[in-house]
Amino acid sequence: MSLLHINRVRRRRLGAATAAAGLLATLLTAGPALASPDPGDGPTQKAKVSSGQQAEDRSAITSGEIPGVDEIVHSDNVEHLVNIPKGALKGTNTDISFQGKYAYAGNYDGFTIYDISDPKAPKTVSEVLCPGGQHDVSVSGDLLILSTDSSRSDNSCNSTSQSATVKESWEGIKIFDISDKRNPKYVAAVETACGSHTNTIVPERRNVYVYVSSYGPQAAYPDCQPPHDGISIVKVPRKAPENSRVIDFPVLFPGEGPDGGGNPGAPTNPGVSKTTGCHDITVLPSKDLAAGACMGDGILFSIKNPERPEIIDRVQDNVNFAFWHSATFNQGAKKIVFTDELGGGGSATCNAEVGPNRGANGIYDIVGKGDQRKLVFRSYFKIDRHQADSEVCVAHNGSLIPVKGRDLMVQAWYQGGVSVWDFTDSSKPQEIGFFERGPVRLDRVTTAGPWSSYYYNGHVYSNDIAKGLDVLKINDKRTNPAKRIRLDELNAQTQPDYFDDDHGRDD
């Protein structure tokens, strides 16, 4: 960080913190009638910040140690091109996928399709209103897969919140035909056990396999019973998506007892989530590998047969990891970056009290060959730009920046902003650029900032929970070679081989 000039603001590292303008959208209904956003699917109200903490944060703003309310700051090598505020969908913004000149951005109320052919001036093509949350999104060909992880009255886009204790309630994946970007069509739905918190696709010529991650079973939930130590696999025929169905529920953590064989969590491992399923899975089809971030466990597994995944290795970190959230392979599948969603994405954890290891990324080398491969821990990486006590900050979704011979990544940190970092040396990762906004407010802990930040065809696209879509450009000799790489499609959880002619083009 010492090489980075920061606009006006001197960053706080050892502080005492404790704890383009309005585009008209075409609103599309994906059901027989207009649905209304359901506030029951949004984030819960956050805790108040004490007057003493507020005073400390105001002092830090005055001295330039942290940015002011809504102030934008960034390193010299990161340029903020544009922000597109939310349109008709006012819920929480979530994940993003890409295809050609289009970006597909999830939102608790549905999803938005943007035309990003001009990254400096993205245009809203359509908005699909279909409340349900959290709406992780993946695309393949003419199909869009949307995850619903909130219990609904039915599978329509006019559904309302309904308790998971009711047998008729619905959660799972919705499938849309996106061949007409201005008029996406809702074509199918598949109910999955405990819903679909996230989805990861393994595309093939005739079918799209969808790995559905979900968790949180309870005996009172008819369709979400413990133990829930696996994932749902949904097979989606490209030419007949209406015939999509669950084909298997492989158990990833076999074991005796009502909770299965995953991490038992507290009291055995205090401060660690009990594994009752997976939060997110990343696949690397070119290597027949997948990495699972599964609450209290990290796993490496083979997907040579996408219908029959097999575990290769499993790791835990019962000292510093609270909730294994997501995973990213490096190019060549020699490393995995696992993220920790400390505080569940609802707490101010980027401060001196929490420290540099808890809530950090964990970098693991993959050593050995074949079924004997092992995950070996090398280091932690966490942004050292401390945030205000009112700012929810957590390691979240990111992607590789494709540069041969280097391991570079862009990553969202909620109100910690967007981090550009280098983990070429697994033991000595370092941040090389950033973009962030100051706190939304100082009196209450708020959830805002980038949910997902991905590098796609020369630019970074960041879906800000509260502010809308941001487009960034990185100007740095270390990342500039990536600007020559062009993809036809990117789902960050379905990692391409960037230097394989079948997946990317080095122009």
Side-chain angles (χ1 to χ4, degrees):
M1 287 297 296
S2 61
L3 298 179
L4 298 174
H5 170 71
I6 300 162
N7 295 356
R8 196 190 71 79
V9 177
R10 176 170 53 86
R11 309 309 299 168
R12 176 174 61 177
R13 289 177 173 79
L14 299 174
T18 59
L23 293 178
L24 181 62
T26 302
L27 179 61
L28 299 176
T29 60
L34 182 66
S36 298
D38 187 347
D41 291 329
T44 57
Q45 188 72 11
K46 303 301 179 182
K48 292 182 178 179
V49 175
S50 71
S51 57
Q53 290 170 324
Q54 291 179 53
E56 181 185 338
D57 288 337
R58 289 193 184 94
S59 175
I61 290 172
T62 300
S63 66
E65 294 175 350
I66 63 174
V69 172
D70 274 342
E71 180 184 5
I72 290 177
V73 296
H74 55 84
S75 54
D76 264 359
N77 58 353
V78 174
E79 181 182 358
H80 185 215
L81 297 183
V82 69
N83 169 261
I84 307 300
K86 291 181 182 180
L89 305 182
K90 302 301 184 184
T92 295
N93 280 337
T94 59
D95 211 10
I96 323 173
S97 287
F98 305 89
Q99 195 177 65
K101 66 176 186 178
Y102 297 102
Y104 304 82
N107 179 284
Y108 270 55
D109 294 332
F111 64 92
T112 301
I113 301 178
Y114 295 99
D115 180 337
I116 56 172
S117 53
D118 181 358
K120 293 182 179 179
K123 295 179 173 59
T124 300
V125 177
S126 58
E127 293 188 86
V128 174
L129 186 56
C130 190
Q134 65 178 20
H135 286 166
D136 197 40
V137 60
S138 299
V139 294
S140 182
D142 289 335
L143 299 178
L144 180 146
I145 312 298
L146 194 69
S147 288
T148 298
D149 191 33
S150 65
S151 187
R152 312 297 298 178
S153 56
D154 55 53
N155 66 7
S156 77
C157 286
N158 301 298
S159 67
T160 57
S161 293
Q162 181 169 285
S163 173
T165 61
V166 178
K167 173 62 179 173
E168 292 73 22
S169 295
W170 182 92
E171 298 179 76
I173 63 168
K174 298 183 175 81
I175 303 167
F176 290 79
D177 181 334
I178 53 172
S179 55
D180 182 352
K181 305 298 186 290
R182 294 188 176 277
N183 189 29
K185 299 296 185 183
Y186 180 16
V187 295
V190 179
E191 186 172 15
T192 55
C194 299
S196 175
H197 194 71
T198 63
N199 73 79
T200 302
I201 63 171
V202 184
E204 292 190 335
R205 184 168 61 87
R206 294 182 178 179
N207 304 294
V208 176
Y209 291 98
V210 184
Y211 291 171
V212 175
S213 296
S214 57
Y215 55 93
Q218 291 190 28
Y221 297 165
D223 298 318
C224 184
Q225 292 282 300
H228 183 74
D229 278 347
I231 58 173
S232 297
I233 300 180
V234 178
K235 188 175 183 177
V236 181
R238 291 188 185 276
K239 294 185 177 180
E242 66 276 8
N243 295 329
S244 302
R245 61 187 178 88
V246 176
I247 60 170
D248 200 6
F249 186 86
V251 175
L252 303 178
F253 305 99
E256 301 296 330
D259 296 322
N263 195 317
T268 303
N269 297 317
V272 179
S273 294
K274 178 171 70 175
T275 298
T276 61
C278 289
H279 179 278
D280 212 340
I281 291 170
T282 293
V283 297
L284 187 57
S286 65
K287 302 294 185 182
D288 293 326
L289 290 175
C294 303
M295 305 181 72
D297 295 88
I299 56 175
L300 173 69
F301 54 105
S302 168
I303 56 168
K304 288 181 180 178
N305 180 349
E307 296 187 11
R308 298 286 186 271
E310 296 182 356
I311 300 296
I312 297 174
D313 194 26
R314 166 187 171 192
V315 291
Q316 296 179 353
D317 180 345
N318 295 318
V319 176
N320 285 313
F321 257 53
F323 187 97
W324 296 68
H325 174 273
S326 54
T328 302
F329 288 97
N330 78 325
Q331 185 67 31
K334 300 298 183 183
K335 306 172 187 177
I336 301 176
V337 174
F338 287 105
T339 69
D340 178 16
E341 194 177 45
L342 177 66
S347 301
T349 64
C350 295
N351 53 41
E353 181 184 20
V354 174
N357 294 337
R358 300 208 67 222
N361 297 327
I363 303 168
Y364 287 75
D365 283 351
I366 302 173
V367 300
K369 296 181 179 180
D371 293 342
Q372 302 304 310
R373 282 172 286 193
K374 298 293 182 181
L375 295 170
V376 179
F377 174 77
R378 295 303 187 201
S379 67
Y380 297 108
F381 169 76
K382 185 177 181 180
I383 60 172
D384 64 354
R385 293 171 283 106
H386 288 167
Q387 307 299 303
D389 297 289
S390 60
E391 293 183 282
V392 169
C393 179
V394 69
H396 226 243
N397 297 352
S399 72
L400 293 183
I401 301 173
V403 175
K404 281 187 177 180
R406 299 192 73 91
D407 295 323
L408 304 173
M409 189 170 173
V410 59
Q411 184 181 359
W413 283 80
Y414 275 29
Q415 287 180 272
V418 177
S419 177
V420 183
W421 62 290
D422 185 331
F423 62 104
T424 306
D425 183 339
S426 301
S427 299
K428 296 180 180 179
Q430 60 177 334
E431 185 171 73
I432 62 173
F434 75 91
F435 165 88
E436 70 163 286
R437 289 182 173 87
V440 174
R441 55 194 294 179
L442 297 177
D443 63 331
R444 186 176 296 276
V445 179
T446 55
T447 299
W451 177 292
S452 299
S453 298
Y454 300 136
Y455 187 94
Y456 178 69
N457 291 354
H459 293 83
V460 174
Y461 297 87
S462 181
N463 208 17
D464 188 287
I465 289 168
K467 300 295 185 181
L469 182 73
D470 287 304
V471 184
L472 310 176
K473 185 177 181 181
I474 308 171
N475 298 298
D476 190 293
K477 65 181 181 180
R478 291 163 289 192
T479 62
N480 285 343
K483 295 177 181 179
R484 298 193 295 268
I485 301 296
R486 289 293 182 267
L487 299 177
D488 296 321
E489 189 171 275
L490 176 64
N491 300 290
Q493 288 75 40
T494 305
Q495 284 190 224
D497 185 335
Y498 286 98
F499 305 106
D500 183 331
D501 289 340
D502 292 335
H503 294 84
R505 304 187 301 280
D506 187 341
D507 298 330

